C-alpha cells in the first residue's frame, strides 16, 4: 500500500459516535472516510463536525496542532461501503445498536478485500463481540472499541477481544488509540457491559434503591456523587482509593471489608427503573434541568469536562 492509503481510517455510520471518531482520527492527521447509507446524513454530519470543531478551536480545546481547515480536509464521505473500507488500516463501525444490523454490516465489510492486519472494531455499547463476529472470515481481527461519551472529552476507550481475536490486532488497536490521544484499556475477555457500563450499572442500581425507597432525595443523591465520590474518581479508581485510605489494600480490607460486605448484602434485586418512582425522579430532575433545556445542560457538562481534562493534563506534566 502507498503512503496515502496507510493513513486511511474507515468509519461506518455517521451519527453521534461516528462523527466523534472521525474528528479524533482527523485531528491526528489520519485520512478519514465516513460512510453512511443516507447521503443527507453525511452532509449534516459534515456540518455538525465543522460546528463542533469550531467550538473546540474557539475555546482553545482542540486536540491537534493542525488548523481547523486541515482537520476538515482529512475527512471525506461516501455512500459506497467498498470505497470506504478499501485500503483502510482500521475500520470503526458505528451503526445503531442492533445485533442483526451490525452482523449484516460486518458481513458486508468482511467481503471487501482488506489488508491482513486491518483492525475490525465495533463501537457497540453492550453487545459482546463474539456475538457480532462468529460468522466472519476475518473474525480474528475483530474486537470492541467502545468510547465513552463524549469521546472528544472522555479519553477512555474499552478494547474488548473475542476468544478468537489475535493479540496482534489488539496491540495494533491499542497503539492507534494512543496515537490519537485516547486512553485505551484492554479487557482480557468479554463480559456483558464490559467495564465502564458494569460499574455504571452497579452505581445506578444502588442509587435507584436509595431514591425510589425514599432514603434520600434525588438532589442529595446527586450531590453525594458530584461533591463526594466524584472528587476521587476523576483521578483514581476504587481500589487505589482504598489502598491509600489505610496501610495498603489488605489492611483496608481487614478494617473495612466486613462493613462493605454487610452493606453489599442489603443490595436489592435488580429491577427495571420505571413506574411512579421513575416519573417522580424525572419531575425532581426537571427542577434543575427542564426537559426542554437538556442540550444546554450537555454544554454545561462539556465545558466542565473539558476544563477538568485540561487541568488533569497540566497536573500530569508537573
Ligand atoms: P446514531 O443513531 O447517532 O448513528 C447511527 C448512524 O448509523 C446513523 O447516521 C445512521 O444513518 C447510520 N446507519 C444506519 N444503518 C447503517 C448501515 N447499514 N450502514 C452504515 N450506516 C448506517 O447512533 P450512535 O449514538 O452514534 O451509536 C452508534 C454506536 O455507538 C452504537 O452501537 C452505540 O451503542 C455506540 N455508542 C454510543 C454511545 C452514545 O453515547 N450514544 C457511546 C458509545 C458507543
Amino acid at each position: 500500500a502507498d503512503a496515502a492509503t496507510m493513513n486511511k481510517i474507515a468509519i461506518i455510520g455517521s451519527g453521534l459516535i461516528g462523527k466523534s471518531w472521525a474528528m479524533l482520527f482527523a485531528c491526528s492527521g489520519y485520512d478519514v472516510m465516513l460512510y453512511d447509507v443516507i447521503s443527507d446524513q453525511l452532509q449534516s454530519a459534515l456540518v455538525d463536525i465543522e460546528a463542533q470543531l469550531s467550538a473546540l478551536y474557539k475555546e482553545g480545546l482542540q486536540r491537534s496542532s493542525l488548523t481547523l481547515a486541515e482537520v476538515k480536509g482529512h475527512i471525506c464521505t461516501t455512500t459506497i461501503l467498498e470505497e470506504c473500507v478499501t485500503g483502510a488500516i482500521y475500520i470503526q463501525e458505528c451503526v445503531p445498536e442492533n445485533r442483526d444490523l451490525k452482523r449484516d454490516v460486518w458481513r458486508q465489510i468482511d467481503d471487501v478485500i482488506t489488508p491482513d492486519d486491518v483492525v475490525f472494531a465495533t463501537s457497540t455499547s453492550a453487545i459482546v463481540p463474539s456475538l457480532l463476529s462468529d460468522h466472519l472470515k476475518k473474525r480474528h481481527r475483530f474486537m470492541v472499541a467502545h468510547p465513552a461519551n463524549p469521546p472528544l472529552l472522555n479519553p477512555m476507550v474499552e478494547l474488548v477481544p473475542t476468544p478468537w481475536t489475535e493479540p496482534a490486532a489488539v496491540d495494533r488497536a491499542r497503539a492507534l488509540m494512543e496515537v490519537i490521544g485516547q486512553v485505551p484499556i484492554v479487557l482480557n475477555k468479554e463480559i456483558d457491559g464490559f467495564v465502564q457500563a458494569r460499574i455504571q450499572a452497579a452505581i445506578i442500581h444502588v442509587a435507584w434503591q436509595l431514591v425510589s425507597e425514599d432514603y434520600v432525595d434525588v438532589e442529595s443523591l446527586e450531590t453525594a456523587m458530584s461533591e463526594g465520590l466524584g472528587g476521587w474518581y476523576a483521578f483514581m479508581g476504587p481500589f487505589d482509593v482504598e489502598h491509600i485510605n489505610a496501610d495498603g489494600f489488605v489492611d483496608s480490607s481487614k478494617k473495612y471489608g466486613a462493613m462493605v460486605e454487610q452493606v453489599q448484602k442489603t443490595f436489592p434485586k435488580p429491577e427495571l427503573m420505571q413506574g411512579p418512582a421513575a416519573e417522580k425522579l424525572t419531575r425532581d430532575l426537571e427542577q434543575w434541568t427542564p426537559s426542554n433545556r437538556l442540550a444546554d445542560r450537555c454544554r454545561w457538562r462539556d465545558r466542565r469536562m473539558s476544563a477538568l481534562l485540561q487541568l488533569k493534563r497540566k497536573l500530569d506534566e508537573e
Side-chain angles (χ1 to χ4, degrees):
D2 62 49
T5 58
M6 285 304 291
N7 211 18
K8 178 177 172 183
I9 304 291
I11 309 283
I12 313 297
S14 63
L16 181 74
I17 296 301
K19 286 181 285 194
S20 296
W21 280 118
M23 286 186 272
L24 283 168
F25 283 107
C27 283
S28 294
Y30 286 96
D31 291 320
V32 174
M33 195 174 276
L34 196 51
Y35 161 82
D36 207 296
V37 277
I38 306 166
S39 87
D40 282 356
Q41 165 61 26
L42 285 170
Q43 291 322 306
S44 68
L46 287 179
V47 172
D48 186 40
I49 284 173
E50 162 127 37
Q52 287 194 49
L53 287 172
S54 298
L56 286 177
Y57 275 78
K58 205 155 55 193
E59 292 182 42
L61 296 172
Q62 70 274 22
R63 299 171 40 156
S64 179
S65 52
L66 303 176
T67 65
L68 199 166
E70 285 168 335
V71 173
K72 267 180 54 199
H74 279 289
I75 304 177
C76 63
T77 63
T78 179
T79 52
I80 302 166
L81 181 66
E82 187 173 354
E83 185 188 9
C84 177
V85 170
T86 301
I89 57 165
Y90 181 92
I91 302 165
Q92 181 78 41
E93 168 268 305
C94 318
V95 306
E97 187 78 349
N98 173 306
R99 185 176 154 194
D100 290 337
L101 173 68
K102 285 187 187 287
R103 286 180 69 88
D104 184 52
V105 167
W106 277 109
R107 190 191 44 70
Q108 293 174 48
I109 297 169
D110 198 36
D111 285 339
V112 180
I113 296 167
T114 47
D116 280 342
D117 53 359
V118 72
V119 174
F120 285 10
T122 173
S123 302
T124 182
S125 302
I127 309 170
V128 291
S130 61
L131 294 180
L132 295 174
S133 63
D134 56 278
H135 60 314
L136 303 179
K137 295 189 289 281
K138 300 162 203 156
R139 62 184 198 163
H140 54 285
R141 304 176 196 169
F142 193 88
M143 73 195 73
V144 168
H146 176 239
N149 202 38
L152 283 159
L153 302 177
N154 224 337
M156 197 226 31
V157 176
E158 299 179 279
L159 299 178
V160 189
T162 66
W164 43 78
T165 308
E166 285 175 357
V170 179
D171 290 345
R172 218 170 137 78
R174 187 208 310 249
L176 192 56
M177 289 302 130
E178 284 168 356
V179 170
I180 65 172
Q182 294 302 85
V183 180
I185 67 163
V186 179
L187 277 70
N188 297 321
K189 51 190 175 186
E190 59 184 27
I191 183 168
D192 285 319
F194 318 138
V195 172
Q196 178 173 278
R198 281 187 87 79
I199 295 174
Q200 217 180 336
I203 291 173
I204 206 157
H205 179 58
V206 294
W208 171 254
Q209 181 194 27
L210 287 169
V211 171
S212 67
E213 294 179 15
D214 201 28
Y215 289 98
V216 72
D217 64 31
V218 61
E219 185 164 6
S220 304
L221 186 284
E222 299 284 312
T223 301
M225 293 296 295
S226 61
E227 300 293 320
L229 294 166
W232 297 329
Y233 292 159
F235 298 94
M236 61 207 300
F239 294 122
D240 201 8
V241 165
E242 300 306 325
H243 187 61
I244 65 170
N245 195 37
D247 205 6
F249 185 77
V250 169
D251 182 51
S252 164
S253 185
K254 233 182 256 162
K255 287 182 176 141
Y256 308 112
M259 180 267 281
V260 172
E261 189 196 21
Q262 180 50 41
V263 173
Q264 286 167 336
K265 282 180 175 161
T266 67
F267 286 179
K269 280 217 174 67
E271 64 180 28
L272 270 180
M273 297 177 287
Q274 56 188 22
E279 279 149 31
K280 174 165 191 315
L281 198 56
T282 301
R283 282 194 300 278
D284 290 345
L285 289 165
E286 279 177 340
Q287 284 175 21
W288 70 90
T289 308
S291 292
N292 60 0
R293 302 283 304 276
L294 298 182
D296 291 342
R297 185 69 167 171
C298 279
R299 278 189 288 279
W300 177 93
R301 176 200 66 188
D302 289 353
R303 273 202 308 278
R304 277 156 184 77
M305 286 184 68
S306 48
L308 179 63
L309 194 59
Q310 284 188 319
L311 173 66
K312 288 176 69 169
R313 294 291 175 264
K314 202 171 134 240
L315 292 171
D316 286 346
E317 279 164 20
E318 281 170 5

